[in-house]
Amino acid sequence: MIILIGYMGSGKSTLGKVLASELQKEFFDLDALIEEREQHSIRDIFEKKGEIYFRKLERKVLEELLNKNSDIILSLGGGTPCFGDNTEIIKKASQNVFYLKLSVQELTKRLLKEKEDRPLISHLKSEEALEDFVRKHLFERNFYYLQAHHVLNADAKLPEELAQEITALL
Ligand code: S3P
């Protein structure tokens, strides 16, 4: 099982799809599975039921997927490794956890264009406010992200290049 982790906007889902098609494996996106299960968008779940409800659900769906123990490509949500003992169960299930590492500047640039559907950052109006938030948040989350087996420097790289790097490391 190949697991992709990283901050919001780091390109986990896009890379997961490319990788899955190259390696001829099945691809799962944790956020998409949660949305499917709840029949609501992540944004609606946060808004109507709150973050704690979301984190419990995230944990449940994650556990189900990991327990399948099959040879799949899985992209997680940006916060998934950072709650409860999620990192532990992730690393128990896979020897191939990849962290897509991007700079604060690159993440801010990307997220500015796509923050509306992301409840944790949708309220941040200016680029400066978003950059400050990302810097602090990433600092807190790095502890979890850096427990990945492999750290990929993903700034300015195409998903195809990253997929190649991953394949070479398997
Ligand atoms: C979150 C990231 C999102 C989604 C939710 C919370 C986070 O996933 O799970 O909005 O805590 O970083 P993406 O990383 O796919 O945006």
Side-chain angles (χ1 to χ4, degrees):
M1 186 179 307
I2 297 175
I3 301 185
L4 305 177
I5 65 170
Y7 201 71
M8 293 176 264
S10 57
K12 304 176 290 284
S13 307
T14 312
L15 174 58
K17 282 176 207 153
V18 171
L19 203 53
S21 98
E22 267 178 31
L23 296 174
Q24 302 278 300
K25 304 223 153 113
E26 212 177 343
F27 169 67
F28 292 92
D29 180 278
L30 188 62
D31 280 338
L33 287 174
I34 292 171
E35 292 185 326
E36 206 175 285
R37 165 119 17 143
E38 286 286 282
Q39 290 293 300
H40 280 293
S41 65
I42 301 284
R43 182 177 155 173
D44 280 355
I45 302 172
F46 266 72
E47 211 170 273
K48 301 207 169 78
K49 307 228 168 130
E51 181 171 355
I52 295 177
Y53 177 88
F54 172 79
R55 295 301 172 194
K56 284 189 184 149
L57 184 63
E58 180 180 48
R59 160 68 189 213
K60 192 162 161 244
V61 180
L62 172 69
E63 206 167 345
E64 283 171 18
L65 264 175
L66 298 180
N67 282 341
K68 275 198 203 166
N69 206 13
S70 51
D71 196 10
I72 56 168
I73 316 278
L74 171 61
S75 0
L76 303 182
T80 316
C82 315
F83 290 86
D85 62 350
N86 289 355
T87 286
E88 230 168 88
I89 64 167
I90 289 164
K91 288 180 72 181
K92 231 179 240 166
S94 166
Q95 314 282 339
N96 285 305
V97 179
F98 289 86
Y99 166 37
L100 270 70
K101 183 169 183 270
L102 280 90
S103 65
V104 172
Q105 290 71 22
E106 181 64 27
L107 289 170
T108 305
K109 205 169 86 190
R110 292 190 187 189
L111 288 170
L112 205 55
K113 287 178 270 173
E114 38 176 276
K115 64 182 164 73
E116 297 322 316
D117 288 327
R118 293 189 161 99
L120 295 176
I121 54 171
S122 53
H123 62 290
L124 299 165
K125 298 286 173 265
S126 68
E127 184 170 350
E128 291 71 34
L130 180 61
E131 187 171 326
D132 270 2
F133 180 91
V134 172
R135 181 174 299 105
K136 286 185 197 134
H137 209 196
L138 198 57
F139 182 77
E140 291 164 11
R141 287 184 165 184
N142 257 335
F143 170 77
Y144 300 97
Y145 293 156
L146 292 173
Q147 294 185 45
H149 302 105
H150 303 280
V151 178
L152 297 177
N153 284 307
D155 265 339
K157 276 189 200 147
L158 294 171
E160 289 73 17
E161 295 175 75
L162 291 166
Q164 242 175 26
E165 281 184 34
I166 291 183
T167 319
L169 287 164
L170 294 176

